[in-house]
Amino acid sequence: STPGADVSINLTATRRNALPAREVTMLARAVVALALLGSASAFTPISAGRHAGVKMMSTGTGPSLDYNPDKYTDEANAGNMRKLGDALADGDIERKKAEQEAFERENAMQFAREERQRKIDFMVNMPDTTPAGRVADFMYKGGITEILEQLDNDLIGLLPVKKRVREIAALLVLDKMRRKLGFETAVPSLHMCFTGAPGTGKTTVAVRMGQILQRMGYCRTGHVVVATRDDLVGQYVGHTAPKTKEVIKKAMGGVLLIDEAYYLYNAANDRDYGQESIEILLNVMEKQQEDLIVVLAGYKDRMDRFFSFIPGMSSRIGNHIDFPNYEVDELVDIAKVMIRDLEYELEPSAEVVFKNYIDQRKKMPFFSNARTVRNAMDRARMNSAIRVFNEGLSGQTITVKDLKQIKSQDFQIILDEILAAGENAIVA
């Protein structure tokens, strides 16, 4: 019999004898202990003899942990190793770069002082006779000579205007020569105000100035954006700022020409939205003057009044250029230039009639200088076309000369029209 069975029989016999409760409890614990000892054989290690075919290995060994470096020398695994190496190298470079930036930040003031001192020493030791170059070379290489020649060809007269443009060009060229030698230079105020009557060449000069500034590196593109109040000022609250900023965005890198700029401000209406546009322009003219040149244009008396209301605008403009009205002879020369560009020829007697037309037209309202000349030339071309057309209908042979020549009678028609209309009449 098993020890557990004997204990069970003895426990039964003991119950019959009614043992005390404490002794019963102690006896029960002894029975449990004997039962555990009796089944301990279930945890006995497996005999090596029964499993002789199984290879016993120590902990931490096996096929999965056997590392053979030669096994991973193929091209695919080598690529993985290179990627890891590159990543480690890049990380090291980034760390060194961050350390260098931190070092430069900490010593920025010292570096600036040293650089400044080196520059001063260089300038002090530079002989005064050091050649800086020829102005003509800088003018030619920058394309300034070509643009000024175009200005002379495009604009008749306007000697004060051309003189001022050449003065600005001279400043820019000399600044460029100074920079080449290492001298300190500051970007001059290039915002401008063009005053004068319509048709005096303000837009043409603005285009040429944009080209000069672009060639000299003072603006990126040199293009000209022409705007008026309608392009800048909105009609309701919140509309003006987006319109103004959109026009400025288009003009960035070039020239923004605001024609009749005085209409931006309405002194009679405190709630006029033009004031908001002016404030945006002032801010841009001050903070982004190296990327945008603003040119205000209009009649001189009205522009003077506008500046009296907006003094901050006048102080930001460094170049005020007045465009005088053309003389009669200059307007005739302008007409000849237009005729030449359109590949027409002017009959000698036609010049006299045209000059009489200009004399009379200047006495009438809304005379617009070169624009009036252009309108007159368009009318003369039309009269010439009608004349030649009717001659062709009548059976005459049309020659090349007929197609090219403008005769005195073509101008006489428009002269007769304004004489009949009177001096107070409004004509084109």
Side-chain angles (χ1 to χ4, degrees):
S1 64
T2 62
D6 295 340
V7 172
S8 177
I9 295 171
N10 293 335
L11 178 60
T12 303
T14 305
R15 286 177 179 172
R16 291 174 183 169
N17 296 327
L19 295 174
R22 180 180 179 186
E23 295 179 1
V24 171
T25 301
M26 295 177 62
L27 185 59
R29 291 178 179 174
V31 170
V32 172
L34 289 173
L36 291 174
L37 290 174
S39 60
S41 60
F43 299 98
T44 302
I46 299 175
S47 172
R50 295 171 57 188
H51 300 280
V54 179
K55 181 180 178 181
M56 301 301 293
M57 296 183 180
S58 60
T59 303
T61 61
S64 62
L65 296 178
D66 290 341
Y67 175 66
N68 181 7
D70 296 334
K71 183 179 180 181
Y72 302 98
T73 57
D74 60 313
E75 184 176 353
N77 286 285
N80 292 333
M81 295 175 66
R82 283 197 300 272
K83 292 178 181 178
L84 177 59
D86 292 343
L88 293 174
D90 291 343
D92 189 52
I93 292 173
E94 290 297 326
R95 178 183 60 78
K96 292 180 179 178
K97 184 177 179 181
E99 292 176 353
Q100 180 65 23
E101 290 176 352
F103 176 77
E104 291 177 355
R105 285 194 301 269
E106 294 173 357
N107 298 273
M109 293 297 295
Q110 180 63 27
F111 292 155
R113 285 192 294 268
E114 292 176 356
E115 179 63 26
R116 175 68 176 172
Q117 188 59 46
R118 282 195 297 269
K119 188 171 185 179
I120 292 174
D121 295 340
F122 174 77
M123 300 304 296
V124 169
N125 296 327
M126 181 187 297
D128 292 340
T129 57
T130 301
R134 297 174 63 248
V135 172
D137 293 338
F138 280 84
M139 293 280 287
Y140 179 77
K141 291 179 180 178
I144 309 303
T145 302
E146 177 187 355
I147 295 173
L148 293 177
E149 289 176 354
Q150 290 178 356
L151 191 64
D152 287 335
N153 293 331
D154 293 345
L155 289 181
I156 302 297
L158 296 181
L159 296 181
V161 175
K162 294 177 180 178
K163 179 176 179 291
R164 188 58 186 273
V165 172
R166 290 180 180 276
E167 291 171 352
I168 295 173
L171 172 63
L172 301 183
V173 169
L174 267 295
D175 266 0
K176 192 170 185 179
M177 297 177 71
R178 286 172 56 88
R179 284 201 305 271
K180 182 180 178 181
L181 291 176
F183 284 101
E184 287 290 340
T185 59
V187 177
S189 176
L190 297 173
H191 301 308
M192 305 178 192
C193 176
F194 294 168
T195 55
T200 50
K202 296 187 291 295
T203 303
T204 302
V205 173
V207 171
R208 295 290 175 256
M209 284 303 306
Q211 294 173 347
I212 291 174
L213 296 173
Q214 189 271 333
R215 298 285 181 88
M216 297 301 297
Y218 286 90
C219 60
R220 288 182 285 113
T221 62
H223 69 289
V224 177
V225 174
V226 181
T228 62
R229 175 188 167 92
D230 291 340
D231 300 310
L232 299 169
V233 181
Q235 299 178 354
Y236 51 84
V237 175
H239 191 208
T240 296
K243 290 188 69 173
T244 302
K245 292 177 181 179
E246 180 64 25
V247 172
I248 291 174
K249 182 179 179 180
K250 292 178 181 178
M252 275 297 175
V255 177
L256 173 59
L257 174 62
I258 304 176
D259 197 16
E260 296 182 317
Y262 33 76
Y263 286 129
L264 289 177
Y265 182 78
N266 186 357
N269 185 0
D270 294 337
R271 298 182 179 180
D272 183 67
Y273 301 131
Q275 181 64 37
E276 183 179 1
S277 179
I278 292 172
E279 291 174 356
I280 295 174
L281 286 170
L282 289 173
N283 184 55
V284 172
M285 291 170 67
E286 182 67 26
K287 295 184 178 180
Q288 296 180 276
Q289 60 178 333
E290 295 185 3
D291 201 31
L292 179 67
I293 290 91
V294 177
V295 179
L296 307 181
Y299 290 102
K300 181 172 177 52
D301 56 341
R302 298 185 184 181
M303 289 303 302
D304 291 341
R305 182 175 174 82
F306 172 71
F307 288 139
S308 69
F309 290 124
I310 315 292
M313 183 70 78
S314 178
S315 63
R316 285 173 172 79
I317 295 177
N319 301 281
H320 293 260
I321 303 177
D322 185 51
F323 289 67
N325 288 322
Y326 287 104
E327 300 295 334
V328 174
D329 291 338
E330 292 175 337
L331 293 171
V332 173
D333 291 338
I334 291 173
K336 292 179 180 179
V337 172
M338 293 180 180
I339 289 290
R340 179 198 65 197
D341 293 342
L342 293 171
E343 297 183 345
Y344 277 87
E345 294 177 357
L346 198 62
E347 188 183 48
S349 59
E351 182 177 334
V352 177
V353 179
F354 178 73
K355 188 173 182 179
N356 292 335
Y357 169 81
I358 294 297
D359 278 329
Q360 183 62 31
R361 182 64 183 84
K362 288 189 72 172
K363 302 174 184 178
M364 302 174 69
F366 304 110
F367 179 73
S368 299
N369 292 282
R371 293 180 189 172
T372 299
V373 171
R374 183 181 60 196
N375 293 337
M377 296 308 303
D378 289 341
R379 287 291 310 279
R381 289 172 54 211
M382 181 179 293
N383 292 337
S384 174
I386 295 172
R387 173 177 53 79
V388 175
F389 179 78
N390 290 334
E391 292 173 355
L393 289 178
S394 65
Q396 296 183 21
T397 301
I398 305 302
T399 65
V400 173
K401 184 178 180 180
D402 294 329
L403 296 175
K404 293 172 59 178
Q405 193 172 61
I406 296 179
K407 297 184 176 181
S408 59
Q409 60 199 74
D410 301 325
F411 287 112
Q412 189 65 48
I413 295 173
I414 59 176
L415 175 59
D416 293 340
E417 288 178 355
I418 63 172
L419 289 174
E423 292 186 357
N424 294 325
I426 298 176
V427 296

